[in-house]
């Protein structure tokens, strides 16, 4: 499953790396793509192992705000 999240605060490559590292360690996450210009994070994951809430929590845990 793919989930597109709108995330405030993405301004640089460091932000991209921080989000990719944080979300990428979650069980069931296959890939994390971050678009600085669109301020979006696209996560491909197995919904049996991870929930959208887990992704949102992890992104917010490292200092970004997810807009729903």
């Amino acid at each position: 499953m793919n989930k597109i999240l709108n995330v405030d605060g993405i301004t640089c490559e460091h932000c991209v790396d921080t989000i990719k590292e944080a979300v990428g360690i979650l069980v069931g996450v296959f890939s994390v793509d971050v678009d600085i210009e669109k301020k979006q994070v696209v996560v491909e994951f197995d919904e049996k192992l991870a929930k959208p809430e887990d992704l949102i929590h992890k992104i917010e845990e490292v200092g970004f705000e997810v807009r729903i």
Side-chain angles (χ1 to χ4, degrees):
M1 168 179 221
N2 280 349
K3 181 74 176 170
I4 299 173
L5 301 167
N6 295 306
V7 180
D8 287 333
I10 302 172
T11 58
C12 64
E13 285 300 321
H14 178 70
C15 297
V16 171
D17 292 341
T18 299
I19 292 170
K20 282 185 170 184
E21 187 176 307
V23 177
I25 63 169
L26 293 173
V27 174
V29 172
F30 303 123
S31 69
V32 181
D33 291 311
V34 181
D35 187 318
I36 294 174
E37 289 180 24
K38 292 183 181 178
K39 306 224 181 294
Q40 289 185 332
V41 177
V42 180
V43 184
E44 181 183 358
F45 65 101
D46 183 339
E47 64 258 47
K48 294 176 187 168
L49 300 173
K51 295 181 240 166
E53 299 82 38
D54 299 331
L55 311 174
I56 292 168
H57 176 73
K58 195 52 112 168
I59 292 170
E60 290 182 340
E61 192 175 83
V62 294
F64 299 91
E65 185 178 339
V66 178
R67 289 179 280 121
I68 300 174

